[in-house]
Amino acid sequence: MINFKKLAALGLAVVMGVSVLAGCGADADSSAKADGDAKEAGTEKTSVETKHHKISVGLYTDHGRSVEAINAYLDGIDDVIDVEFNTFVLSTYDENANLTAVQNEISAGAEGIIMTADMGTEAILKECESANVYVAGFLNDYNMSFYTANEAVFGNEYFLGSVIDGPLDNKGYAEAVAADVIENGYKHVGVATFPDWAYPLQQDLANAFIAKIDEYNETAEEKIEVYEIAEVDFGTGLPATYFTDHSDMDCLFSVAAGASLVYPQMVSDNRTNIALYTTGFEATEDIENFRSSGNGTFKSICCSAPEAIAYPVCLIIDKLNGTTYSDLPAEKERVDCAAYQIISDDEMEQMKKTLYYTADYKDAAITGEDILSMCASYNPDATYEELKAKLLDLGI
Amino acid sequence: MKKGLTKDLILNHGSDVLGYGGVLLCVILFGILSQGRLFNAYNLRILIQAACVYAILSMGAIFIYSMGYMDISVGAQLGVYSIMLILISNKTGSLLLAFGAVLAISLVCGLINGYVAVMLGLPSIVTSIFLMSIFGGIQVIAMEKIGINSISIEANMDLFADVKFMIFVIAVIAIISVYLFRFTQLGEYVKSIGANETATEYAGISTTKWKVIAYIFFGICVAVAAFMLTARSGAAGKGTGTGYAMDIMVALLLGGMPLSGGMKAKISSSLIGAFTYVILSNGLTLAGVSVEVGYVIKALVFLAVILITCRKKDGVLPR
């Protein structure tokens, strides 16, 4: 038995060694593949003389369609813009874990860090300042930093700004959902959001939706009943009693990851007959059951384009190259980007042609060449306002 | 003769070989794969910073794991203590008072963990689950009451976040731990309880008393670790401390500590394990290994260590 154990352990150790080497090899392979992909996609290196940089991208999760799309995009642009990207996973709850992860990236040679989570930002910026590494945000409104540590974060010269996940004011989506709910005659509507402390902007969406319904109710003969807002837990999803407490619910507006945290509860409660309007996009059950497909539960989704990462990439490249936009504001900004607001089958067909859905760089709305032309380092005529305007072109 | 010596080394000192060999293997392997970056001054500094909390917790936990017990409430305790430190310090302006309050609570929790389990005849893991739930609830309620995801400390803790201070704290805790573990009855009896609790009781030793003392020492280590954790990030939140219970277990295993406890337990396992654990994560990043492959490697290392350190007669898991 002991011999078997030792042999097994030895075998595993060998596998470990091979895996390490394979892992390193895979990295090189993927870079080579990216080169090939870039060429196939007709994005061969431009004549612009670029400087090589290394940027690490901290993602809030290690899986999902969004991550696949971001990875595909980074693989597609890296050769063109001469930036070596490395992705790593950030924690959405542990400041020290994020600090350690960023320190490891700096030690591995990162010159810039793009972060999709806010936890530990002050300590991370202190570390980056001492290591001369720049930080910018992506898919992240830095709400906590913005309101509780504005000077320490937004006033820090090593923090360059952030592009948030969609528009800062996304009430248009909430109102479009409300209009669709009214048009389709739903009368018993639930509303769900993540906790207010985590995503305060989502409360604005829920309130805008309810306000629109209230406006309709003022003149409607048959009013729409809106139930109390349910709080979606990051781990366990929608409260299990929400459907049983409201047995006549025929519609739910979940401003909180409907595909992963609400739909499973609907399936287990056999309530997939409820029309689900939601945010986020997993490209799994949400696309299989969208409107005229499958059971038709999903009526709308809303997410933002992975190409918005061009904003922090441009800011970091320029900073590393020692150049800056002539119109760059002194105050660091939280800029927004247009969202994919999908409320019809036609819009879903358009969505299927985006990088987010295909995870194929060929479908990118902002190419590597576009990024070069938007960087002040490589295009003296580039402006900050043009960069921001490009982000607003990304939606459907 | 030589063959016999090798066999004896593997059979009787397998865990030592594993612990020292593991850290050596990591250092050599990642030293090569990282093209020497593992040894640069910046990296050595961040390794110590990252390992500090694990090392302190592991040195306290070794007294618990030596008995064949475990404490899964450590992460939740760590989170609540960090939040308390920040709240009390921000309110009173005194870090000393804040640390004193946390230390007092940690001692009470150590008492509960050790004494209540014996009094009620429960496995210690049950009381630690109870404490984990209590502390987890307090952590969530406190942060929801405050209304934000994370709170920052107003006091300047730069001195305590300095790597020299961290080395000093690790050294002090290590000296105390080694003394208690090797030169006092506490060390002897916790190992004895782990080897055979019934026999230890029949030998006239009050196992209850030594269990409680072991848990109290662990409590002190948790309080110190919470202080260092807060000093490092300057903030704490709803999820601070999550995962530390498992991390500590993995670190001890990597250091060659048998989870079933007993006479083979060594204090060196905690330090070696903490640094191996940190070097493994750091080295994989420096070597450019992707996140997915990194998970697989960590799992394989964990499995290999379990296979080597588990005792044949007893179960693998602690009581």
Side-chain angles (χ1 to χ4, degrees):
Chain A
M1 181 61 186
I2 287 171
N3 285 341
F4 168 73
K5 277 172 21 187
K6 305 294 178 207
L7 274 174
L10 187 65
L12 286 169
V14 170
V15 172
M16 184 202 91
V18 172
S19 299
V20 171
L21 297 171
C24 302
D27 231 27
D29 287 350
S30 65
S31 300
K33 189 171 176 291
D35 296 352
D37 287 348
K39 281 171 189 129
E40 274 170 33
T43 56
E44 287 180 25
K45 258 191 163 177
T46 59
S47 55
V48 177
E49 196 177 318
T50 53
K51 286 183 190 166
H52 183 76
H53 294 296
K54 193 168 180 181
I55 297 175
S56 292
V57 182
L59 299 172
Y60 60 94
T61 178
D62 57 359
H63 64 279
R65 182 56 64 104
S66 172
V67 171
E68 288 170 29
I70 291 167
N71 284 331
Y73 186 60
L74 297 178
D75 277 351
I77 62 172
D78 60 0
D79 185 50
V80 183
I81 66 173
D82 201 9
V83 171
E84 183 184 341
F85 289 104
N86 182 52
T87 54
F88 65 104
V89 182
L90 287 169
S91 164
T92 50
Y93 54 79
D94 188 344
E95 301 89 352
N96 275 276
N98 287 350
L99 178 58
T100 301
V102 168
Q103 284 180 326
N104 287 344
E105 293 301 320
I106 292 172
S107 192
E111 301 164 83
I113 307 281
I114 295 172
M115 291 186 56
T116 60
D118 197 4
M119 296 294 279
T121 302
E122 283 179 76
I124 286 168
L125 274 173
K126 212 182 258 185
E127 183 71 25
C128 287
E129 198 173 346
S130 66
N132 200 28
V133 170
Y134 292 94
V135 178
F138 164 55
L139 296 176
N140 189 350
D141 57 23
Y142 277 90
N143 203 69
M144 194 167 58
S145 299
F146 193 76
Y147 290 108
T148 66
N150 196 293
E151 186 51 37
V153 175
F154 283 81
N156 189 305
E157 65 170 307
Y158 284 84
F159 183 75
L160 306 177
S162 181
V163 56
I164 75 163
D165 186 8
L168 257 172
D169 180 0
N170 201 14
K171 287 175 193 158
Y173 176 61
E175 288 170 357
V177 167
D180 201 68
V181 168
I182 293 164
E183 191 184 322
N184 284 287
Y186 299 116
K187 296 298 173 194
H188 305 282
V189 181
V191 180
T193 63
F194 280 127
D196 187 28
W197 54 262
Y199 292 103
L201 296 180
Q202 289 188 349
Q203 301 298 317
D204 296 343
L205 252 76
N207 293 337
F209 172 80
I210 294 167
K212 196 76 181 170
I213 298 291
D214 286 346
E215 192 183 306
Y216 165 80
N217 282 342
E218 281 174 16
T219 55
E221 283 182 15
E222 199 184 346
K223 298 187 189 320
I224 297 173
E225 184 185 6
V226 179
Y227 302 124
E228 82 284 358
I229 298 176
E231 194 171 282
V232 175
D233 185 88
F234 293 106
T236 55
L238 192 74
T241 54
Y242 198 53
F243 293 130
T244 48
D245 288 349
H246 305 294
S247 54
D248 52 356
M249 186 190 299
D250 56 9
C251 173
L252 173 62
F253 180 36
S254 169
V255 201
S260 54
L261 294 175
V262 174
Y263 187 69
Q265 186 68 41
M266 295 172 79
V267 172
S268 70
D269 286 6
N270 199 22
R271 297 295 301 276
T272 52
N273 58 329
I274 294 172
L276 177 61
Y277 295 83
T278 187
T279 57
F281 182 51
E282 296 292 321
T284 50
E285 282 98 346
D286 45 6
I287 202 158
E288 287 162 15
N289 300 302
F290 192 81
R291 291 204 167 237
S292 60
S293 306
N295 60 24
T297 299
F298 287 86
K299 302 299 180 194
S300 76
I301 58 112
C302 183
C303 58
S304 58
E307 294 95 316
I309 199 172
Y311 177 80
V313 168
C314 287
L315 293 182
I316 290 175
I317 288 175
D318 279 347
K319 201 75 188 177
L320 294 174
N321 289 343
T323 48
T324 185
Y325 296 106
S326 55
D327 59 342
L328 187 72
E331 296 281 315
K332 315 296 167 45
E333 291 194 311
R334 296 190 301 173
V335 304
D336 49 8
C337 62
Y340 293 139
Q341 296 180 358
I342 310 299
I343 314 186
S344 70
D345 284 324
D346 288 343
E347 286 166 343
M348 183 53 88
E349 287 309 308
Q350 288 182 60
M351 181 74 194
K352 286 179 181 176
K353 293 171 187 151
T354 63
L355 167 77
Y356 195 124
Y357 178 78
T358 64
D360 187 339
Y361 175 65
K362 280 187 293 209
D363 298 315
I366 298 177
T367 64
E369 281 79 7
D370 293 335
I371 291 178
L372 289 180
S373 73
M374 290 190 298
C375 286
S377 323
Y378 304 129
N379 175 12
D381 298 329
T383 65
Y384 181 69
E385 284 305 317
E386 281 171 2
L387 173 64
K388 287 207 302 183
K390 194 82 177 171
L391 301 175
L392 297 175
D393 284 342
L394 291 171
I396 293 175
Chain B
M1 178 67 185
K2 201 175 180 181
K3 195 178 174 185
L5 190 68
T6 310
K7 192 177 175 186
D8 176 67
L9 191 72
I10 292 172
L11 288 179
N12 297 323
H13 301 282
S15 58
D16 295 337
V17 172
L18 176 82
Y20 289 103
V23 73
L24 198 65
L25 181 71
C26 278
V27 168
I28 294 170
L29 191 65
F30 292 125
I32 295 167
L33 290 173
S34 69
Q35 296 166 326
R37 275 189 297 223
L38 188 73
F39 308 110
N40 72 36
Y42 179 81
N43 201 58
L44 292 176
R45 175 170 74 81
I46 67 169
L47 281 176
I48 292 166
Q49 286 179 337
C52 178
V53 171
Y54 292 121
I56 294 167
L57 287 174
S58 300
M59 284 188 279
I62 205 121
F63 288 83
I64 309 303
Y65 281 82
S66 294
M67 298 189 289
Y69 294 168
M70 67 189 299
D71 182 357
I72 58 169
S73 69
V74 57
Q77 284 192 51
L78 207 56
V80 171
Y81 296 163
S82 289
I83 293 168
M84 275 184 64
L85 261 168
I86 294 171
L87 289 177
I88 296 172
S89 165
N90 287 356
K91 191 85 180 167
T92 64
S94 169
L95 263 177
L96 192 67
L97 186 69
F99 180 68
V102 165
L103 191 63
I105 293 174
S106 71
L107 291 174
V108 172
C109 287
L111 199 68
I112 292 172
N113 251 336
Y115 196 70
V116 173
V118 177
M119 283 298 101
L120 298 178
L122 297 168
S124 67
I125 192 168
V126 175
T127 47
S128 79
I129 289 172
F130 161 74
L131 279 178
M132 182 183 71
S133 303
I134 292 274
F135 276 99
I138 291 171
Q139 193 171 4
V140 172
I141 291 166
M143 291 313 294
E144 285 186 354
K145 197 93 178 161
I146 296 164
I148 50 174
N149 208 9
S150 176
I151 45 167
S152 301
I153 194 158
E154 289 163 10
N156 186 346
M157 294 190 82
D158 286 352
L159 168 72
F160 309 111
D162 188 89
V163 75
K164 288 183 201 120
F165 185 79
M166 287 185 172
I167 293 170
F168 170 74
V169 174
I170 293 171
V172 169
I173 300 283
I175 289 166
I176 295 170
S177 301
V178 169
Y179 174 74
L180 291 176
F181 206 73
R182 294 191 63 178
F183 303 108
T184 68
Q185 288 177 319
L186 176 65
E188 279 303 307
Y189 294 156
V190 292
K191 283 186 278 186
S192 178
I193 290 168
N196 192 327
E197 188 169 348
T198 311
T200 310
E201 274 175 357
Y202 280 137
I205 295 158
S206 167
T207 53
T208 307
K209 175 184 157 187
W210 296 108
K211 279 180 197 173
V212 171
I213 293 173
Y215 271 104
I216 285 176
F217 179 69
F218 183 40
I220 294 169
C221 290
V222 177
V224 174
F227 185 86
M228 300 308 291
L229 190 76
T230 312
R232 187 168 175 238
S233 67
K238 216 173 178 179
T240 302
T242 305
Y244 271 85
M246 194 55 68
D247 292 343
I248 296 307
M249 194 194 292
V250 174
L252 288 175
L253 276 167
L254 290 174
M257 171 79 196
L259 270 185
S260 42
M263 303 311 285
K264 287 188 176 175
K266 285 188 174 62
I267 207 84
S268 59
S269 299
S270 56
L271 279 174
I272 291 169
F275 277 94
T276 308
Y277 185 69
V278 169
I279 290 171
L280 193 60
S281 295
N282 175 265
L284 288 169
T285 305
L286 294 186
V289 175
S290 67
V291 174
E292 302 82 5
V293 178
Y295 289 148
V296 176
I297 292 172
K298 283 180 186 175
L300 288 173
V301 171
F302 186 70
L303 191 61
V305 172
I306 286 269
L307 282 168
I308 292 172
T309 58
C310 70
R311 287 197 313 206
K312 195 176 171 185
K313 287 178 188 171
D314 306 330
V316 175
L317 292 174
R319 288 191 284 261

